Amino acid sequence: MSSENADAGNEYAAPVWDVVVVGAGPAGASAAYAAAVAGRRVLLLEKAELPRYKTCGGGIIGPSRDALPPGFELPLQDRVHAVTFSLNGRFARTRRSKRMLFGLINRPEFDAGLVEHAQKAGAELRTGVTVARVEQHGSAVPDRRTVAVVLADGDVVLARAVVGADGSASRIGAHVGVKLDQVDLGLEAEIPVPATVAEDWAGRVLIDWGPMPGSYGWVFPKGDTLTVGVISARGEGAATKRYLEDFIARLGLAGFEPAISSGHLTRCRSDDSPLSRGRVLVCGDAAGLLEPWTREGISYALRSGRLAGEWAVRIAEAPDAVDARRQALNYAFAIKSGLGVEMAVGRRMLTLFERRPGLLHATITGFRPAWHAFADITRGVTTLAGLISTHGMARRALDALDRRLAG
C-alpha cells in the first residue's frame, strides 16, 4: 500500500514517496519505470534540464535492447552491419554481417525517451534539482522506515526507499560506500561531416586498439555527424588526448570542427563493493556497474536500473530494518549473479587485451568463430560470460591465456 504521509494524523506533514530515484539517465529512468509500473508513488530527481548531452558512444547492443520498457521505440541514428578493426591505425580489416549487429543513438533523445516512459507509467519528474545527501537517521528522518533526501536548497524529500542512479561521481554511491578498482578517462568529439564523408561511414563503425595498455578508439556514424572517441586508464590524460588528436588526424577528419568536445571518467566497482545501505540502493554508473574491457555501460544501466526499481518496491514495503536488509541482499545477489559474472569475464578480457592487443586483433579479424562470437554478443544472442560458460573451446582458450599471462 502506498504511503501518503509520514504522519497520517498531521495534514501538514511532508508526503512520503514510496520510491525516490536520484538521476534520470538510463539507470534512473529504468528504476523509476519499474517502480511506477508496479503501482508505487515514484519521484525521479534530475539535476540537469532534459534533454542533456552525455559523453557516450551511444551503441545499443542486444542486452540493452532487451532491457528496454515495452513499447519503447529506439531513436536509431544508424544500424551497424560492418565493423572495421585496426591496431593503432594498422592492419585494418572490415568484417560484415547481413543482420544488424547493433544500433546507434544520441543520448539526449534516448534518455529523454526513457524518462517519458517512466512518466507515462506514473513517475513524477523534477529537473534542476541537486541532491546534497541522504540521511537514514537524525532529525530529518521521522521514523525508521523513512529516508530523507536532502536537496541543495535545504528542502527535504522523504521516501520509503531510495535508488541512487546519479552517475559515476555519485553522492548516493558515496553514502552507500561504493568502492572502485578501475577508473578510465574517455574523450569524445561530435564531428559534423559533409554528406560524402557520412555516406562512406554509413552502417559501419571503426574500433581501433590503441597505443596505451587497455586503450581503444571508435568511430560511430550518426547521420551527418561522426562520434569519435578514445578511452584509456586515468592518469594517462596527456597521452589519451594525444591519441584522440592523432586518431582524428589519421581518419582525415582534422579539418572538420567538432560541434561538441567532452570528457568523462568511467568507474568499475570492486568485487566487494556494497550495492546498498539500509533502504538505499545504487545502480548503473553510481554502483560502478559497467563492462571492464569495453567500458560499455548502457546495458548495465538499463538492467541494473530495472532490478533496483523492482527491489526498491520491496524495500519500500518492508516493515522493519531486518526485512529491508533481506530485500537489499536479494538485490545484491541478483546483480552479482548476472552482471557481476559478466564483469568478472570482462576483467579477464581486459587483462589479456592490455598485455596482448595484437593477439586479440589477430583472433577477432582472422578467426571466424571469434568474429561470430563478437557478433552474437553485440546482437544479444549471448554475453561474454555466457560464451565462456557454454563454449568449451572459448573457456579453454581463455584459461590457457590466463596461465600464460600469470607465468
Side-chain angles (χ1 to χ4, degrees), residues 44-273:
L44 178 58
L45 302 176
E46 168 59 42
K47 66 180 179 181
E49 298 297 335
L50 300 176
R52 48 98 174 93
Y53 181 78
K54 175 79 164 62
T55 305
C56 176
I60 301 296
I61 60 175
S64 296
R65 200 170 55 246
D66 294 342
L68 294 169
F72 185 88
E73 291 190 19
L74 277 168
L76 291 181
Q77 301 298 309
D78 205 343
R79 292 168 170 81
V80 176
H81 287 81
V83 182
T84 298
F85 297 96
S86 61
L87 183 63
N88 196 21
R90 300 172 298 148
F91 311 117
R93 184 168 184 181
T94 300
R95 287 288 197 176
R96 301 185 183 276
S97 171
K98 292 181 180 179
R99 289 183 292 156
M100 185 178 85
L101 296 166
F102 56 96
L104 299 174
I105 52 92
N106 287 323
R107 282 290 300 276
E109 299 167 22
F110 179 69
D111 290 12
L114 289 171
V115 169
E116 184 179 335
H117 258 66
Q119 289 177 286
K120 287 179 179 177
E124 181 176 316
L125 171 68
R126 293 183 192 170
T127 58
V129 176
T130 299
V131 172
R133 63 187 184 279
V134 292
E135 296 181 2
Q136 302 194 63
H137 307 282
S139 59
V141 182
D143 58 61
R144 293 184 179 181
R145 285 191 61 210
T146 307
V147 181
V149 181
V150 183
L151 308 183
D153 62 7
D155 283 352
V156 176
V157 177
L158 301 179
R160 296 296 184 213
V162 171
V163 176
D166 49 335
S168 60
S170 170
R171 295 194 176 190
I172 312 302
H175 172 80
V176 167
V178 171
K179 294 187 287 184
L180 308 162
D181 66 1
Q182 178 186 330
V183 183
D184 296 290
L185 171 65
L187 300 177
E188 196 167 73
E190 302 284 352
I191 305 177
V193 293
T196 51
V197 176
E199 287 169 10
D200 183 53
W201 285 98
R204 178 175 66 95
V205 303
L206 169 65
I207 297 176
D208 178 74
W209 313 118
M212 296 92 73
S215 68
Y216 74 96
W218 62 87
V219 179
F220 285 178
K222 299 172 185 176
D224 59 0
T225 298
L226 299 179
T227 298
V228 183
V230 300
I231 195 164
S232 67
R234 184 179 66 171
E236 298 281 352
T240 306
K241 186 172 185 293
R242 193 160 52 247
Y243 176 29
L244 178 61
E245 291 169 349
D246 292 347
F247 188 42
I248 289 173
R250 197 165 66 219
L251 294 166
L253 301 173
F256 304 115
E257 186 68 25
I260 299 174
S261 295
S262 62
H264 179 66
L265 291 176
T266 64
R267 297 172 167 93
C268 273
R269 70 188 294 273
S270 58
D271 279 336
D272 61 344
S273 178

Side-chain angles (χ1 to χ4, degrees), residues 270-357:
S270 58
D271 279 336
D272 61 344
S273 178
L275 290 160
S276 67
R277 178 180 173 186
R279 291 176 176 266
V280 178
L281 306 177
V282 286
C283 60
D285 285 345
L289 291 167
L290 71 157
E291 201 279 291
W293 172 34
T294 63
R295 290 80 154 187
E296 190 277 319
I298 294 178
S299 75
Y300 282 70
L302 292 168
R303 290 181 286 172
S304 65
R306 183 183 61 193
L307 288 170
E310 291 170 352
W311 289 106
V313 167
R314 295 175 173 89
I315 289 173
E317 295 170 344
D320 54 42
V322 173
D323 193 47
R325 176 63 175 162
R326 183 183 303 115
Q327 303 304 336
L329 287 172
N330 287 336
Y331 167 68
F333 177 79
I335 292 291
K336 292 175 183 178
S337 62
L339 300 180
V341 173
E342 292 179 31
M343 289 181 72
V345 177
R347 286 191 185 94
R348 294 172 70 187
M349 290 298 299
L350 177 63
T351 299
L352 165 62
F353 173 53
E354 287 174 336
R355 301 186 187 182
R356 301 290 297 276

